[in-house]
Structures are given as structure tokens and as C-alpha cells.
């Protein structure tokens, strides 16, 4: 085979191998040593050099794949080792440290305060210098204007001095949950913390502005101007801020729910479509200005022809826009593909679309290997690849053609492209999010031109002509009204359990086959690949058995109990903040898991009214209205948990042990303290049992133990998160659990679980697991001596050990 063809195939093989190598390295549970990664990278480089000596196609491709994979594993691993070397010293966790540095991102307002990235310049503990990671994520949980009434304001690029308490990056670890630790790793964050603002601490001190982070400062200035201009409609202002400066945190949570339900969430951030449109306009503008300049200065065209000036200028301005808007993965992908396309066009060359697509993917992963774990990465690249593959020979209509045929062809092309993307991405969307927008095709047909051709241009032009932001806000309001109408349709969104990756991969291939220009027999075969994933149901316990999943919700409690055909939720986790719009564990943790498992709750038991147990109740009740509710604080008699209540599901008995009927007064209000009123639930199948006691105190534990001395438990949920006021010796001696599951927050301020309680467990030979180290704990009565910790099941090297 000709040498040039082998080299070309070898280049594609190296790129593909690089992507595969990055993917393999990201599956590592622990990191290897730096010399190991260096050796792998060197071996890959030598293999690339050896490609020129291989004359046959197949060996050349295999060698290229291996070379790319070795380089991908070696380079990504070396970067990870270098980054991990700057981790926070565990001995510094929880100590007061004075740090001086710069605000390095847009401060993001949340229900609990303000969060921002902080670049450390110096740090000291009691006057002694200490070494900290170079980049922190800090939270100011008092609004700046509350600090001594000084009206302090956080601005990107400003230098500040704070007293902070830090901890290693840590997030909740749940099946199908958001991996916050990976996200922090990708952002370069190696410690998180909060400002100390008590009267005995030095107040935060603004030292002054710096020339650093000018782009973030400009983005913040524009976001503030949008907020001030559209102050009467903060929800629309949030959408405009997301479209102009990429501040997606400005969008209200309820709006995100609406956009996901209607399938238009991709339009509410800087997408490839926005960058492409901007690049097209920029190219046309630069070309026109360059030609006009040539009328006065003809030498300009000789120095740089108009096509070159237009192409280079368009790519440069599109890059500036992508950087200004936050440089997300879709924007990166679009800029890189535009740059390659312009470069090929100017050099009068033509590459096959797979090579352009693969090159853009490889470069994105070179910049950020951990982007491969983002849902947006796959949605962006798969969508573009499908459009290329479904119509590789598309041509633009001739500008000399009449406008009506051109308009009709453009409309048909839009309909076809949207249909292709909707059908082909449906399996991938179900895999990534467990839901698919049924009304997404209709919603996008209206929303794409509305947002791309009206809202986004008005929002961008508003930077120079602020009254245009009022018009853009009106356009957002009109769009939201239409989307709310569509979201109200029956079955607007389809929720399915998340299938295992082999079935999901087959479904993605099936979706692609359906839209390619292939014989219909081949295309319809895609349905055969789709059905297994669509009909998939997660395995359930056998009749007579039950499963307990103690979720990792931080300092709070939420437990999912499943039998062969029923499910019960015990407690709904905490509320993350005191603001009315604060997020809660129900929305963030419980509901995503229920959807991923395809669960429809039959009952919910909320042990008591404390917010760390009932904080997610409203979210769960809104999403699961069919469930029967029991609690110790409900005014309705039918919704109160009372000792003696029993029911049987699939051969498994459920029994409420506490509180007693006399513990309620005539109006249904508990006579005991909130903790002492906790609903105690026993689950029993004849051989094994689970005992869940909420925040029950020692006095009530002793009363229950003495009343039922024959009671035993295989697994026990630690009462009151392992507090020293619970887990009394009398209860432990009576129940004699083989396993105790403690649900507590990482480095929580209550010091749960208490050392004295852990000592009681150790004295009795009781095994225990704690959610910060274990993550979600899964126990099954079919395997009563085994507990599965999510942090071990899905271990990756960026995950924190939880200590």
C-alpha cells in the first residue's frame, strides 16, 4: 500500500487510540507511579516513530491504536499524579487558616450564600506559613453586605485575605448520582472551605484589585448589568446571563426542570449552534470590512487575501466568544472543528468528516482528559457525528435559486436534522439521564430558531445596547410560556430505568442505525438493538427477601427498602440550606435514584420533623403522589405512624414499633420531643430483620428493648446518626445486630458517630459502616453477612477516602 495512505490511516489510528487510552486511564481505581506513566508514554512515542517502518495496513492500524492508547494512558496518568501531589494535608482540615489570594471565577450565588474559586498566594496558621493547594473553592455563607454592614462586594480578580476552614474535596457517593469529586478534580479544586465570620475571627479584608482574571471580571460585570437591567424578571435575567457569559448557575432550578422536560436544556447554555452562528456572522462581517479596507489600502489584499482574513477573523472571534462564555465542552468542540474546517478550506484540502470529528475530540481530551466523563461531551460529539453520518454529502442551496424553494428546502432540512438528532440521541439521553423528552421534537422546532435567531442575538447585542435586554427578556418569557404548555402534556417526558452499559451501548448503535441513509432492512434492525434497553428492569429481591439501600445524603437520613414488587422510603434526607429555594436531598439524591431504578414508591415513612430527616419530603411527595405517607408529626390520623401498624409485602413483614398511641395528644401533636417521637420501623422476613429508629433517644430505646426482650436485628440503622445520646447498651444487647449503618455528614460539626458509640459497637463485635467512608450502603437479606459500599463498587482515583 502507498506510504502516504498508511501514514494517513496511522494518524487516524493514533487519534482513536489516544481517545481509548484516556478512557482506560479514567477507569483506574488508584494511580500508578509517575515513572510507570512516563514509561508508557515513551513506549507510545517510540511506537509512533515505528509506524513509518510498517508497510501493511492492518499491522499499521493496530500499532497506531496501541501507540495512541499508550500515550493516552501515560500522559493522562502523569497529569493526574502531578495534580494529586498538591492535595490538601489532612492535618490542616478543620483548622483556622489565614489565606491571601485572588478570586479566580465568577462568584456564584446559591441558596446558602456565595461560592467562588480562590487562587492561594500565601497561607498561615497562627503566624506560621503552611502549604495549601494552589486553587480552592470557598463559600461565604453570610451575604457580603451583612458583614459588619460594610457592603463588601466580591469581584473576580480582587485580592482578599480570609480566615477559612478547609477540608478535602468530598461529595455524596450514590448509585447513578452526581460525582462531585470528579467535577472538583476537573476544575482544579483540591480543597473546599468556608470563611470564618464569627466576632472573634478577623473580618474578611479586601486588599485591592489586580490585573489577573480580566475575562472573568468582564463576564461578572456583564452579568451584573443584566441582573440590574432585568431586575423585575430574575428568571429571565438568569437565562440571559447563561447565554451571554455562560453563568448557568443563574438559571432557576424550576426552569432547569422545565428545560429538561421539554428537551431544550442544551439551548440554555452556550451550545455549538450558538458558536457556529456567531462564527458565521463574524466571518461575514470580517470579510466585508476587509474588502472595504482594500478599497482604501489595496496592499491589504496582497498581504492577506479576503478569504484568509474572513476565515481567520471568524475563528478568532468565535474563540473569543467561547472563552467569554465559559469555554464549555460544546463550545470547545465547535471552535476546534471550525478551525480545522477553515484551515482545510484555506489550504484547498478536504478531509473526510470522521477525521475532522476525531481530531476535534482528541484535542478536547488533550486540553481536559476528564471531560470524557461529562454527559455534555458525549451529547455534543455524538450529535455532530450523527448529522455528518446521516447526510455526508449535503450541499447548501444555490444563492441564485428563488427564495421560496430555498426557504422550503431549508425548512425541510431543519425538520429532518432535528428529527435525526432527536431519534438518534434518545437512547443516549436515557442512558445519561434516565429520561427522554417526548415533546422535545416539537419544542426544539420552535425553540431552536427562537433562541438562536432572536434571544441570543438580542442578549449579545444588549452588551452594547442595554435596552435590547428588555426585548430579550420578553422573548424568554414567551418561550417559557410555550414550554410550560408543552410540559403540561400527558407523558411529556419518558422515564426509564438506566440500563447496563452493554444494553445501553447497543441501544445507542440502534438509534444511529435508524437515522443513517442505509437500506430500510438495516435501519429497522436498529429497533432490535433498542428494545432490550427500553424494556430493561433492574433486578429486584426474590419473594420473601428484601433489600436496604442507605443513601449518602450528608448529615441526614434516607433509606430505600425494596421487596419483590414493592418499595418504601424511610426518611427523605436533609434540606441543604435555610432559604425557600434551597435544594434538598429529595430532589438531588433520592429522585434520581428512584428514576434510575424505575421505582414507584408504595409508602414513605418520615421518622420525625427534624429537617435532616424531612427536608426532602416536599420534593418526593410531588414526584411520588401515589405513595402512602406516615410520620410522627402529621395532623391527619391516617398519616400518623403508631405502634402496632403492620403490613406484609411479598412475604416480608413491616411493623411500626414506636411511638405509642398515647404519645400523641388529642390534636395529634406529639407529647415527647421531636427525636423521641421518631417512627421506629422493623422489617422482617422470618430469618433476617432490619431495625430503623430515626433519632430515637436512649430512654425510648431502653423502653422498647425492655418491652420486647426477644427482639433481634441483623442490620440496624444507627439511631441519631451515632450520637452519644443513642445506641444505648441495653438496645445493643437486646438487638445484637451483626451490622450497623451510620448515616452522617463528612466531618460534621456534631462529631457523629461519637467515639463512645463506636467503642460500644467494637466491644460487642458489631461491624459498622459510615456513609462518608462507605457512600451509599446496600444490604440484602439474601446475603446478610455482606454490605456493598458505593465508594468501593465505583472507586476512581479522584475519589476521597472520606476520612
Amino acid at each position: 500500500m502507498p506510504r502516504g495512505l498508511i501514514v494517513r490511516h496511522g494518524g487516524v489510528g493514533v487519534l482513536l487510540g489516544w481517545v481509548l487510552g484516556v478512557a482506560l486511564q479514567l477507569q483506574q481505581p488508584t494511580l500508578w507511579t509517575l515513572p510507570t506513566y512516563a514509561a508508557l508514554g515513551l513506549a507510545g512515542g517510540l511506537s509512533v516513530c515505528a509506524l513509518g517502518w510498517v508497510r501493511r495496513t492492518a499491522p499499521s492500524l493496530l500499532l497506531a491504536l496501541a501507540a495512541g492508547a499508550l500515550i493516552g494512558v501515560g500522559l493522562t496518568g502523569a497529569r493526574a499524579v502531578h495534580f494529586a501531589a498538591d492535595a490538601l494535608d489532612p492535618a490542616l482540615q478543620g483548622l483556622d487558616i489565614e489565606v491571601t489570594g485572588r478570586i479566580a471565577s465568577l462568584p456564584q450565588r446559591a441558596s446558602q450564600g456565595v461560592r467562588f474559586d480562590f487562587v492561594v498566594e500565601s497561607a498561615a496558621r497562627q503566624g506560621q506559613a503552611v502549604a495549601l493547594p494552589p486553587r480552592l473553592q470557598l463559600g461565604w455563607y453570610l451575604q457580603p453586605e451583612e458583614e459588619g454592614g460594610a457592603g463588601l462586594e466580591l469581584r473576580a480578580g480582587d485580592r482578599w485575605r480570609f480566615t477559612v476552614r478547609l477540608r478535602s474535596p468530598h461529595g455524596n457517593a450514590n448509585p447513578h448520582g452526581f460525582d462531585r469529586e470528579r467535577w472538583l478534580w476537573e476544575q482544579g479544586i483540591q480543597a473546599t472551605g468556608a470563611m470564618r465570620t464569627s466576632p472573634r475571627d478577623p473580618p474578611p479584608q479586601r486588599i485591592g484589585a489586580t490585573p489577573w482574571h480580566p475575562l472573568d471580571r468582564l463576564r461578572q460585570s456583564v452579568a451584573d448589568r443584566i441582573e440590574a437591567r432585568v431586575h423585575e424578571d430574575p428568571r429571565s435575567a438568569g437565562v440571559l446571563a447563561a447565554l451571554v457569559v455562560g453563568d448557568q448557575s443563574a438559571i432557576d432550578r424550576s426552569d432547569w426542570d422545565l428545560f429538561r422536560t421539554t428537551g431544550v436544556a442544551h439551548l440554555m447554555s452556550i451550545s455549538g449552534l450558538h458558536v457556529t452562528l456567531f462564527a458565521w456572522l463574524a466571518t461575514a462581517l470580517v470579510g466585508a470590512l476587509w474588502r472595504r479596507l482594500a478599497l482604501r489600502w489595496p496592499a491589504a489584499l496582497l498581504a492577506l487575501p479576503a478569504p484568509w482574513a474572513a476565515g481567520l477573523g471568524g475563528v478568532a472571534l468565535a474563540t473569543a466568544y467561547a472563552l467569554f462564555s465559559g469555554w464549555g465542552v460544546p463550545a470547545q468542540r465547535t471552535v476546534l472543528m471550525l478551525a480545522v474546517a477553515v484551515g482545510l478550506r484555506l489550504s484547498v484540502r478536504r478531509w473526510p468528516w470522521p477525521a475532522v470529528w476525531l481530531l476535534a475530540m482528541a484535542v478536547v481530551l488533550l486540553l481536559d482528559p476528564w471531560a470524557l466523563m461529562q454527559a455534555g461531551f458525549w451529547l455534543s460529539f455524538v450529535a455532530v457525528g450523527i448529522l455528518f453520518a446521516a447526510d455526508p454529502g449535503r450541499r447548501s442551496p444555490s444563492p441564485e435559486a428563488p427564495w421560496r424553494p430555498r426557504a422550503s428546502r431549508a425548512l425541510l432540512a431543519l425538520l429532518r436534522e432535528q428529527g435525526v438528532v432527536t431519534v438518534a440521541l434518545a437512547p443516549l439521553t436515557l442512558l445519561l439521564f434516565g429520561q427522554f423528552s417526548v415533546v422535545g421534537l416539537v419544542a426544539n422546532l420552535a425553540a431552536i430558531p427562537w433562541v438562536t435567531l432572536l434571544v441570543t442575538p438580542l442578549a449579545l447585542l444588549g452588551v452594547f445596547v442595554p435596552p435590547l435586554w428588555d426585548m430579550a427578556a420578553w422573548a424568554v418569557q414567551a418561550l417559557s410560556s410555550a414550554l410550560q404548555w408543552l410540559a403540561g402534556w400527558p407523558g411529556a417526558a419518558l422515564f426509564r430505568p438506566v440500563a447496563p452499559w452493554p444494553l445501553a451501548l447497543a441501544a445507542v448503535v440502534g438509534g444511529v442505525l435508524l437515522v443513517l441513509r442505509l437500506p430500510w432492512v438495516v435501519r429497522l434492525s436498529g429497533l432490535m438493538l433498542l428494545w432490550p434497553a427500553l424494556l430493561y428492569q433492574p433486578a429486584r429481591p426474590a419473594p420473601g427477601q428484601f433489600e436496604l439501600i442507605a443513601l449518602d445524603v450528608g448529615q441526614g437520613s434516607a433509606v430505600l427498602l425494596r421487596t419483590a414488587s414493592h418499595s418504601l422510603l424511610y426518611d427523605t434526607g436533609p434540606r441543604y440550606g435555610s432559604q425557600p429555594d434551597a435544594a434538598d436531598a429529595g430532589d438531588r439524591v433520592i429522585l434520581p435514584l428512584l428514576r434510575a431504578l424505575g421505582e414507584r414508591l408504595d409508602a414513605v415513612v418520615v421518622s420525625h420533623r427534624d429537617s435532616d430527616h424531612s427536608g426532602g419530603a416536599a420534593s418526593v411527595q410531588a414526584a411520588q403522589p401515589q405513595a402512602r405517607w406516615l410520620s410522627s408529626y402529621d395532623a391527619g390520623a391516617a398519616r400518623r405512624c403508631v405502634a402496632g401498624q403492620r403490613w406484609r409485602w411479598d412475604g416480608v413483614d413491616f411493623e411500626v414499633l414506636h411511638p405509642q398511641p398515647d404519645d400523641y395528644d388529642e390534636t395529634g401533636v406529639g407529647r415527647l420531643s421531636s427525636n423521641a417521637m421518631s417512627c421506629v420501623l422493623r422489617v422482617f422476613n422470618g430469618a433476617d430483620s432490619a431495625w430503623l429508629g430515626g433519632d430515637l433517644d436512649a430512654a425510648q430505646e431502653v423502653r422498647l428493648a425492655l418491652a420486647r426482650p426477644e427482639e433481634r436485628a441483623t442490620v440496624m440503622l444507627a439511631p441519631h446518626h451515632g450520637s452519644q445520646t443513642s445506641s444505648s447498651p441495653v438496645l445493643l444487647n437486646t438487638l445484637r445486630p451483626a451490622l450497623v449503618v451510620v448515616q452522617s455528614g463528612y466531618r460534621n460539626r456534631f462529631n457523629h458517630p461519637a467515639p463512645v458509640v463506636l467503642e460500644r459497637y467494637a466491644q460487642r463485635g458489631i461491624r459498622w459502616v459510615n456513609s462518608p467512608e462507605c457512600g451509599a450502603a446496600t444490604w440484602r437479606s439474601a446475603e446478610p453477612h455482606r454490605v456493598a459500599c458505593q465508594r468501593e463498587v465505583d472507586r476512581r482515583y479522584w475519589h476521597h477516602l472520606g476520612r
Side-chain angles (χ1 to χ4, degrees):
M1 179 170 286
R3 180 183 178 86
L5 187 58
I6 291 178
V7 172
R8 187 157 59 247
H9 286 173
V12 173
V14 170
L15 292 177
L16 181 57
W18 160 264
V19 175
L20 295 176
V22 171
L24 286 173
Q25 197 279 333
L26 296 184
Q27 305 308 310
Q28 289 189 281
T30 56
L31 288 172
W32 297 333
T33 62
L34 184 59
T36 302
Y37 289 119
L40 291 175
L42 179 61
L46 294 175
S47 299
V48 171
C49 296
L51 282 174
W53 299 91
V54 180
R55 299 297 181 181
R56 300 181 63 183
T57 304
S60 173
L61 283 175
L62 291 176
L63 182 60
L65 282 171
L70 289 171
I71 295 174
V73 172
L75 185 57
T76 305
R79 289 176 62 178
V81 170
H82 177 73
F83 180 73
D86 290 328
L88 177 69
D89 183 352
L92 296 177
Q93 294 190 97
L95 302 179
D96 288 350
I97 300 175
E98 186 178 82
V99 296
T100 302
R102 307 183 306 273
I103 297 175
S105 69
L106 270 72
Q108 296 185 342
R109 296 186 180 274
S111 58
Q112 302 177 40
V114 183
R115 289 196 312 271
F116 55 91
D117 291 356
F118 191 75
V119 173
V120 177
E121 296 176 340
S122 63
R125 160 76 176 163
Q126 295 179 344
Q128 299 294 320
V130 295
L132 294 182
R135 194 177 186 94
L136 314 173
Q137 185 185 77
L138 299 180
W140 194 336
Y141 298 116
L142 289 176
Q143 293 296 333
E145 61 268 21
E146 296 178 9
E147 183 63 40
L152 302 177
E153 187 177 2
L154 298 172
R155 308 292 302 177
D158 282 1
R159 180 175 285 114
W160 284 76
R161 181 175 293 117
F162 300 119
T163 299
V164 300
R165 285 188 179 177
L166 302 175
R167 66 181 190 175
S168 299
H170 189 89
N172 299 332
N174 293 287
H176 310 289
F178 174 65
D179 191 345
R180 182 171 182 264
E181 290 166 41
R182 180 204 56 79
W183 183 84
L184 289 171
W185 176 284
E186 185 181 355
Q187 303 302 312
I189 304 296
Q190 291 178 293
T192 62
M195 257 81 70
R196 299 287 295 166
T197 55
S198 65
R200 65 177 181 273
D201 294 311
Q205 178 185 357
R206 181 181 182 274
I207 299 174
T210 73
W212 294 91
H213 315 290
L215 193 58
D216 286 327
R217 180 183 288 272
L218 179 60
R219 293 173 63 208
Q220 183 178 358
S221 174
V222 171
D224 290 345
R225 289 170 55 202
I226 291 175
E227 182 181 10
R229 180 76 195 190
V230 197
H231 64 278
E232 295 182 355
D233 186 7
R235 296 175 65 175
S236 295
V239 173
L240 297 182
L243 290 173
V244 177
V245 301
D247 185 9
Q248 297 185 31
S249 67
I251 297 181
D252 190 80
R253 266 199 314 144
S254 61
D255 285 333
W256 275 125
D257 293 337
L258 174 65
F259 300 150
R260 281 192 291 265
T261 300
T262 53
V264 301
H266 64 102
L267 293 174
M268 303 307 161
S269 57
I270 306 301
S271 68
L273 186 62
H274 298 148
V275 177
T276 302
L277 175 65
F278 185 90
W280 181 80
L281 293 173
T283 300
L285 179 62
V286 171
L289 291 176
W290 196 257
R291 291 185 184 90
R292 194 170 189 85
L293 176 65
L295 296 177
R296 298 182 174 227
W297 185 32
L301 284 179
L302 296 177
L304 187 65
W308 280 77
L312 297 176
V315 171
L317 290 175
T319 303
Y321 172 50
L323 289 170
F324 182 74
S325 61
W327 196 238
V329 169
Q332 294 178 37
R333 184 263 306 160
T334 305
V335 168
L336 291 171
M337 295 189 76
L338 285 171
V340 172
V342 169
L344 292 174
R345 182 176 180 181
L346 294 179
S347 61
V348 199
R349 295 182 181 178
R350 184 177 180 85
W351 283 6
W353 72 262
V356 177
W357 181 79
L358 192 58
L359 177 62
M361 180 182 291
V363 174
V364 168
L365 294 180
L366 180 64
L367 298 174
D368 179 10
W370 299 277
L372 192 72
M373 306 295 288
Q374 294 183 19
F377 176 91
W378 292 106
L379 290 172
S380 176
F381 276 100
V382 171
V384 171
I386 287 169
L387 289 176
F388 273 124
D391 193 5
R394 55 185 168 176
R395 294 286 185 272
S396 300
S398 171
E400 287 79 16
W403 71 269
R404 288 184 178 177
R406 276 191 292 154
S408 61
R409 280 197 294 270
L411 179 59
L412 289 174
L414 175 63
L415 288 170
R416 183 180 183 281
E417 288 186 359
Q418 188 56 46
V420 163
V421 171
T422 299
V423 172
L425 289 187
L428 184 59
T429 304
L430 283 172
L431 167 65
L432 296 173
F433 306 113
Q435 75 176 80
F436 167 69
S437 175
V438 177
V439 299
L441 177 59
V442 176
N444 276 282
L445 286 175
I448 286 177
W450 188 263
V451 173
T452 305
L453 302 178
L454 181 63
V455 177
T456 302
L458 287 175
L460 291 174
L461 291 173
V463 175
F464 308 102
V465 186
L468 293 179
W469 282 329
D470 298 327
M471 299 175 61
W474 173 86
V476 171
Q477 293 171 8
L479 177 64
S480 296
S481 299
L483 293 177
Q484 288 170 356
W485 177 70
L486 286 174
W489 289 11
L494 171 68
F495 294 93
R496 295 296 304 160
V498 175
W501 73 263
L503 294 182
L505 181 60
V508 172
V509 174
V512 172
L513 287 177
L514 284 173
V515 300
L516 294 182
R517 293 181 179 271
L518 297 172
W520 275 105
V521 174
V522 179
R523 297 172 73 171
L524 291 177
S525 67
L527 293 175
M528 304 280 293
L529 298 174
L530 280 171
W531 282 119
L534 293 177
L535 299 179
Y536 169 78
Q537 290 292 337
R540 300 190 67 91
Q545 303 292 344
F546 67 98
E547 176 186 71
L548 180 152
I549 305 176
L551 300 178
D552 185 4
V553 294
Q555 185 63 25
S557 181
V559 179
L560 178 63
L561 294 157
R562 303 202 305 161
T563 66
S565 59
H566 294 83
S567 58
L568 177 147
L569 180 68
Y570 181 85
D571 281 339
T572 61
R575 188 176 183 85
Y576 301 122
S578 57
Q579 299 285 343
D581 61 342
D584 58 72
D587 183 59
R588 285 191 175 181
V589 179
I590 298 171
L591 292 179
L593 177 64
L594 295 179
R595 290 165 183 160
L597 296 178
E599 287 295 337
R600 188 174 185 270
L601 293 176
D602 296 283
V604 178
V605 177
V606 183
S607 62
H608 60 299
R609 69 169 64 250
D610 286 6
S611 63
D612 57 335
H613 293 252
S614 64
S619 297
V620 174
Q621 193 162 19
Q624 302 273 343
Q626 79 289 336
R628 176 192 179 193
W629 282 73
L630 294 175
S631 73
S632 61
Y633 59 89
D634 201 293
R639 291 165 61 96
R640 289 183 212 144
C641 56
V642 181
Q645 293 171 326
R646 298 188 62 157
W647 62 94
R648 186 178 180 86
W649 289 338
D650 307 313
V652 179
D653 294 311
F654 292 75
E655 181 182 5
V656 176
L657 306 180
H658 181 79
Q660 299 295 320
D662 293 341
D663 292 333
Y664 294 97
D665 65 16
E666 297 77 7
T667 63
V669 177
R671 300 180 188 274
L672 308 176
S673 67
S674 177
N675 286 352
M677 287 296 296
S678 292
C679 304
V680 178
L681 181 68
R682 177 176 181 259
V683 187
F684 182 68
N685 71 345
D688 297 288
S689 64
W691 196 92
L692 295 83
D695 280 353
L696 201 67
D697 58 26
Q700 301 304 319
E701 290 177 356
V702 170
R703 189 185 64 77
L704 277 177
L706 295 178
R708 302 178 64 144
E710 76 290 346
E711 192 80 60
R712 299 293 182 268
T714 312
V715 59
M716 181 182 81
L717 185 69
H720 203 179
H721 319 286
S723 165
Q724 62 183 358
T725 62
S726 302
S727 292
S728 61
V730 174
L731 180 70
L732 297 178
N733 293 339
T734 300
L735 295 182
R736 303 176 192 174
L739 172 70
V740 172
V741 177
V742 183
Q743 290 186 299
S744 65
Y746 175 62
R747 298 185 63 83
N748 63 84
R749 60 190 177 95
F750 308 103
N751 198 31
H752 293 161
V756 64
V757 170
L758 298 182
E759 180 62 25
R760 291 173 194 164
Y761 297 159
Q763 290 172 353
R764 292 162 177 79
I766 301 172
R767 181 187 176 193
W768 60 275
V769 294
N770 190 15
S771 51
E773 294 91 27
C774 178
T778 301
W779 175 90
R780 298 179 177 90
S781 62
E783 302 174 280
H785 303 295
R786 178 177 178 271
V787 61
C789 288
Q790 184 63 27
R791 286 192 175 273
E792 295 300 324
V793 172
D794 194 30
R795 178 77 178 143
R796 295 294 184 272
Y797 59 80
W798 54 78
H799 287 155
H800 185 242
L801 294 178
R803 300 183 181 89

